[in-house]
Amino acid sequence: MWRTSRSFAKCIRLDSTEFHFGPFNQFVQRRWGKPANTAQTRLEDRTRDSKLDRIAANLRKLRIILNLHELMSNRKRGPFVSVQLMSRWRNIVGLNVGVGEFIQKYPHIFEVFIHPIRRNMCCRVTSKWEDLMAEEAGVIRESESKEALWRLKKLLMMSKNGTLHVHALRMIRKELGLPEDFRDSILNEYKSDFELVDLETVKMVSSKDDERLGVAEIEKWREKEYKDKWLSELETKYAFPIQYPTGFKIKGGVREKMRNWQRLPYLKAYEEDNAGGFSRSSNVVERYEKRAVAMIHELLSLTVEKMVDVQRLSHFKKDFGMEVNVRELLLSHPGIFYISTRGKTQVVFLREAYAKGCLIEPNPIHVVRKKMLDLILGNGQMVKLATIGGSRALHDTMKQPYTRFRVKELENVIDNVVWKIAQPVDLFFDIVPPNFGFLLVHLRVPCHILFLLTMNHIVAADKKCSN
């Protein structure tokens, strides 16, 4: 056997793995792994913006509630849905908690009640939410002939061949403020402006009607900077507004690189390279990336909340001719874009459109959605109540010992307590009568004492009514 001395054999530890170097591998080159510098690592290590993250979290709640309302509206049996059926929609709407637990948090949106015949837990939306949904639909219908047409025309002018895939537009129809049936109500209705090449491709008929369509939104900012700050044309002609988040550390040499990047000429969003000068010029990669930045900047400027999902944004790469990694490009310009990772999706914001966590220039659709957010985040008058359940749906959805109901549902639940006692009992909850419920909750009275007190209260009320 080959014997090796302890001094000859060497040992190192890398990532909790022991490697021995002996006579057969002593000349092997030792390499240590370099820290990875990928889009995911830079996304985790970047400086976060708490205000935009809060907006993204609130918009995610609004998106989930809108998806739930859409699924409930598709049911043809009535304006309500059983909670047991709603529990199956958890993965569809993208919830990381149970549906029953989610609807308890928003009593101004969802109204939970017991079906008078089937005796199961059902849910429906409130009248306030229905009014806001009708108001949003009315605002979108009013903007079809102006803002919606204007946005679609500008997007088609930005495309490489003057065409767009209908699927890509359908993915961001809510961000663009388009109705759900925009294909029939806009594309087929305004045939003098749009033409359906095939089932999934739309083409613009003519773009010479209005010269303002070829002016990007960034040009307004450049004109204001040129007039108000008396800057030279070299400093403003190809510049973008830069707003770094609070706490962002600028490394050495970054300011000089950013100054040179701001002066770098590029083909703008609505310009065409007919002469081919873009391909023969110097700094081709930098100019090409700056054009991609301008395309994404203009698309975000056309949206309602100046934000869009990063994954949905990638559907426009082929139509806009952007052969770049969209997320890498967005992370390379933290002063222009911000990617929020709150929730399961990544949402990119246009920094210049927000100030102190609010949209600088709100539009009518955003105003209505702001009312929806106010209704979602508002705290109403609620009471902690629980029922004795024999229904499996109640057991699956109501996981907490106290279930939140609104005050007006209190009488309805108390009336059904007697019926529920006769059913097989799966679990017991505390029952809080309206006269001394809050006192018992704060005193943390045991469950069986609450049960006896409630039964005595119901029996006494029945005797009083019979006399």
Side-chain angles (χ1 to χ4, degrees):
M1 295 178 61
W2 187 277
R3 296 182 180 180
T4 58
S5 61
R6 181 175 300 177
S7 61
F8 185 77
K10 299 178 181 179
C11 173
I12 63 173
R13 182 178 296 272
L14 292 175
D15 298 334
S16 303
T17 304
E18 201 173 61
F19 298 93
H20 295 275
F21 287 89
F24 297 104
N25 58 358
Q26 60 179 336
F27 299 104
V28 176
Q29 185 178 3
R30 306 173 190 178
R31 294 183 179 181
W32 282 265
K34 296 181 180 180
N37 185 17
T38 61
Q40 185 63 29
T41 57
R42 287 189 282 115
L43 186 64
E44 296 173 356
D45 299 338
R46 77 194 191 286
T47 304
R48 297 185 179 274
D49 194 327
S50 59
K51 295 180 180 178
L52 294 182
D53 283 339
R54 192 179 303 112
I55 295 175
N58 295 335
L59 290 177
R60 181 176 180 272
K61 296 177 183 177
L62 176 60
R63 191 181 301 112
I64 291 174
I65 292 177
L66 289 175
N67 292 336
L68 281 175
H69 181 259
E70 183 178 359
L71 291 173
M72 295 172 66
S73 301
N74 293 335
R75 303 293 299 178
K76 299 181 180 180
R77 293 187 176 181
F80 58 89
V81 182
S82 65
V83 179
Q84 184 178 10
L85 178 60
M86 293 181 65
S87 62
R88 304 175 186 175
W89 300 341
R90 174 180 174 180
N91 296 330
I92 299 177
V93 299
L95 273 176
N96 53 5
V97 297
V99 177
E101 183 180 353
F102 180 79
I103 62 178
Q104 295 173 35
K105 299 179 182 179
Y106 306 103
H108 293 301
I109 312 298
F110 301 103
E111 181 180 349
V112 182
F113 64 99
I114 299 176
H115 197 277
I117 300 176
R118 299 180 181 179
R119 299 297 182 178
N120 60 343
M121 301 297 296
C122 295
C123 178
R124 60 192 171 201
V125 295
T126 60
S127 58
K128 294 181 179 179
W129 184 259
E130 290 285 357
D131 295 340
L132 289 177
M133 291 295 297
E135 184 178 355
E136 183 193 19
V139 172
I140 292 176
R141 291 296 181 187
E142 291 178 359
S143 63
E144 281 185 8
S145 58
K146 296 181 180 179
E147 287 82 1
L149 290 176
W150 178 69
R151 294 189 183 103
L152 288 177
K153 287 182 179 180
K154 291 179 76 69
L155 288 176
L156 286 168
M157 290 181 63
M158 290 170 56
S159 62
K160 186 177 181 180
N161 299 322
T163 59
L164 283 176
H165 285 80
V166 181
H167 174 71
L169 294 174
R170 190 180 297 110
M171 294 289 291
I172 62 170
R173 67 179 186 277
K174 293 183 179 179
E175 287 81 356
L176 294 175
L178 300 176
E180 295 185 3
D181 58 341
F182 72 94
R183 181 171 180 173
D184 298 329
S185 59
I186 297 180
L187 300 183
N188 289 331
E189 183 69 21
Y190 297 91
K191 295 184 179 180
S192 59
D193 299 320
F194 307 106
E195 178 185 357
L196 287 172
V197 180
D198 51 33
L199 295 178
E200 286 297 328
T201 306
V202 59
K203 181 179 180 181
M204 189 171 178
V205 176
S206 177
S207 60
K208 299 180 181 179
D209 298 337
D210 195 348
E211 296 180 356
R212 294 177 299 175
L213 291 174
V215 179
E217 293 295 320
I218 189 65
E219 298 297 335
K220 300 178 181 178
W221 175 84
R222 290 170 180 169
E223 184 179 357
K224 184 177 180 181
E225 290 288 305
Y226 178 75
K227 292 181 179 180
D228 296 350
K229 297 185 179 181
W230 293 73
L231 298 177
S232 64
E233 186 179 0
L234 179 63
E235 297 290 337
T236 58
K237 187 175 181 179
Y238 301 105
F240 287 85
I242 306 297
Q243 299 177 1
Y244 291 109
T246 305
F248 183 82
K249 296 181 181 180
I250 302 177
K251 299 180 181 179
V254 175
R255 294 184 184 274
E256 185 65 24
K257 291 181 180 179
M258 182 56 63
R259 188 179 295 109
N260 296 332
W261 185 86
Q262 291 278 56
R263 298 175 179 177
L264 183 66
Y266 71 99
L267 285 175
K268 299 181 181 180
Y270 299 103
E271 292 180 351
E272 297 181 2
D273 188 18
N274 297 325
F278 176 72
S279 60
R280 296 194 301 267
S281 62
S282 59
N283 300 328
V284 178
V285 178
E286 290 80 1
R287 294 170 186 255
Y288 187 82
E289 290 181 353
K290 192 168 184 179
R291 175 176 171 83
V293 170
M295 302 284 281
I296 298 176
H297 184 281
E298 183 67 10
L299 192 149
L300 291 175
S301 301
L302 296 177
T303 57
V304 175
E305 282 95 7
K306 315 303 178 185
M307 49 78 66
V308 72
D309 195 309
V310 177
Q311 186 177 3
R312 298 178 181 179
L313 185 64
S314 60
H315 286 78
F316 290 87
K317 288 176 54 177
K318 186 175 181 180
D319 293 332
F320 288 169
M322 299 186 303
E323 298 298 331
V324 295
N325 190 330
V326 175
R327 190 169 65 167
E328 289 275 0
L329 185 68
L330 297 176
L331 289 174
S332 301
H333 300 277
I336 304 176
F337 310 109
Y338 177 74
I339 299 179
S340 176
T341 57
R342 294 292 296 270
K344 295 182 179 180
T345 59
Q346 297 179 3
V347 180
V348 55
F349 286 87
L350 189 62
R351 280 195 174 277
E352 65 188 77
Y354 286 87
K356 298 181 180 180
C358 298
L359 195 63
I360 297 177
E361 297 180 359
N363 49 76
I365 301 177
H366 172 74
V367 172
V368 179
R369 293 178 181 175
K370 185 65 170 57
K371 294 179 182 179
M372 294 181 179
L373 283 176
D374 294 340
L375 184 63
I376 292 172
L377 302 177
N379 295 322
Q381 185 181 7
M382 294 183 300
V383 60
K384 291 183 177 181
L385 179 70
T387 59
I388 301 176
S391 173
R392 177 55 58 181
L394 184 64
H395 180 273
D396 294 338
T397 56
M398 310 304 175
K399 298 293 181 70
Q400 301 178 356
Y402 294 101
T403 305
R404 291 183 176 182
F405 284 92
R406 293 181 300 179
V407 176
K408 69 177 186 178
E409 297 292 336
L410 185 60
E411 183 180 357
N412 186 17
V413 176
I414 292 297
D415 293 338
N416 290 276
V417 167
V418 178
W419 180 87
K420 284 187 173 293
I421 293 174
Q423 302 297 320
V425 179
D426 294 336
L427 73 160
F428 284 85
F429 291 99
D430 298 349
I431 299 179
V432 183
N435 53 356
F436 55 91
F438 292 99
L439 178 62
L440 297 178
V441 170
H442 289 295
L443 292 178
R444 299 181 180 275
V445 180
C447 177
H448 63 279
I449 298 179
L450 282 174
F451 177 76
L452 294 176
L453 290 174
T454 305
M455 295 312 338
N456 293 332
H457 176 74
I458 294 175
V459 172
D462 292 338
K463 291 182 179 179
K464 184 177 180 180
C465 293
S466 60
N467 294 333

